[in-house]
Amino acid sequence: MEKVNLAQKFDHIPDYWNPRIAGELNGQQVKLAKFKGAFEWHHHEHEDEFFLVVKGKFEMHLRDKVIELKPGEFLIVPRGVEHKPVANEEAEVLMFEPAGTVNTGNLENSERTRTNLERL
Amino acid sequence: MEKVNLAQKFDHIPDYWNPRIAGELNGQQVKLAKFKGAFEWHHHEHEDEFFLVVKGKFEMHLRDKVIELKPGEFLIVPRGVEHKPVANEEAEVLMFEPAGTVNTGNLENSERTRTNLERL
C-alpha cells in the first residue's frame, strides 16, 4: 500500500485526453488525464462520472449550459447526459468511474477512444 | 447538475471526524470530513476506502507502517486492512467509498460512529 502524489503522476503524462489508471477500489477506478482543446460530445449509458480539477481549468459543455471548473472543484455527470469537456488551457483532472468505462462513451470508435489504459 | 467547490463545502464543516456527503455516483459516495487528533483503529470488512488530502495533512497509521499524506496525495486502504488516521493539525479530506460505508467500520457502536450522514 503506497500513497499517490498527484503532481508527480501528472508529471509523467505527456499527452492529452488519454486517461491513465492511478488506483482501483470497489470496482471503480481513479483515473488521471490532462485535457487541452475540445473533446467530443458523448455520453455514457451506464456510468456516472466524477471530474475534479487538480490544476488548470476546463469547461464542461452540456446541452443546456456550460460549467467552468477550477482547481478544487468537482462535477458529477450522471449516466445518459451528453457532455463535452473543453480546456482552453491545459488542465489536470482526476476522474472516478466504474472500471472499464471508456472515455468516449457511446462513440466507441472515435479517434480519441482509449482502451487498455496504462497504469501510473 | 451543479459543480461542488471543495473549499466552500469545507467552510461549512464545523466539527471533526463527521463525514458529510458531497456527491453520489455508481453506488459510491464522495464524502468530505475534517480530521483532527487521533481516530480509532478499525477496518472495513467489505469496502475499500480512498482518502485524498485537500488541505492540511494527516498520518494513516497501519499495523506495519505510517504513511503521511499531504495536499494532493491520496491513499487507498483495501478492505480488511486495519488503519487509524491521526491528524496532528486540522486536515480537510475527500473520501470516496461505497454508499453506506460506516466511518468506524467494524467498531459499530463507537462514540465516533456516524450514520445518517448530512448532505452538503
Side-chain angles (χ1 to χ4, degrees), chain A residues 18-114:
Chain A
N18 187 2
R20 287 168 171 82
I21 299 168
E24 294 202 64
L25 70 166
N26 306 302
Q28 315 290 308
Q29 288 175 331
V30 182
K31 296 177 184 175
L32 304 180
K34 288 183 177 174
F35 292 1
K36 191 172 183 186
F39 201 63
E40 300 185 54
W41 281 105
H42 68 284
H43 70 274
H44 302 272
E45 204 66 50
H46 302 294
E47 299 101 350
D48 312 318
E49 283 189 303
F50 169 100
F51 297 87
L52 170 68
V53 176
V54 175
K55 192 174 170 186
K57 60 185 176 180
F58 78 97
E59 297 170 348
M60 186 63 83
H61 289 241
L62 306 166
R63 289 299 186 188
D64 62 342
K65 62 180 172 180
V66 174
I67 297 175
E68 188 182 53
L69 293 158
K70 297 175 188 167
E73 295 183 334
F74 76 76
L75 181 69
I76 294 172
V77 178
R79 60 195 68 188
V81 174
E82 286 189 293
H83 57 286
K84 173 183 171 174
V86 176
N88 294 313
E89 53 187 85
E90 179 179 293
E92 296 180 350
V93 182
L94 180 152
M95 289 165 287
F96 283 129
E97 51 193 25
T101 301
V102 175
N103 62 332
T104 53
N106 59 308
L107 308 180
E108 291 171 13
N109 295 303
S110 161
E111 276 183 22
R112 282 176 155 159
T113 299
R114 297 287 177 274

Side-chain angles (χ1 to χ4, degrees), chain A residues 1 4 26 48 65 68 74, chain B residues 1 4 26 48 65 74:
Chain A
M1 193 184 330
V4 172
N26 306 302
D48 312 318
K65 62 180 172 180
E68 188 182 53
F74 76 76
Chain B
M1 194 185 327
V4 173
N26 307 301
D48 313 317
K65 63 181 172 179
F74 77 75

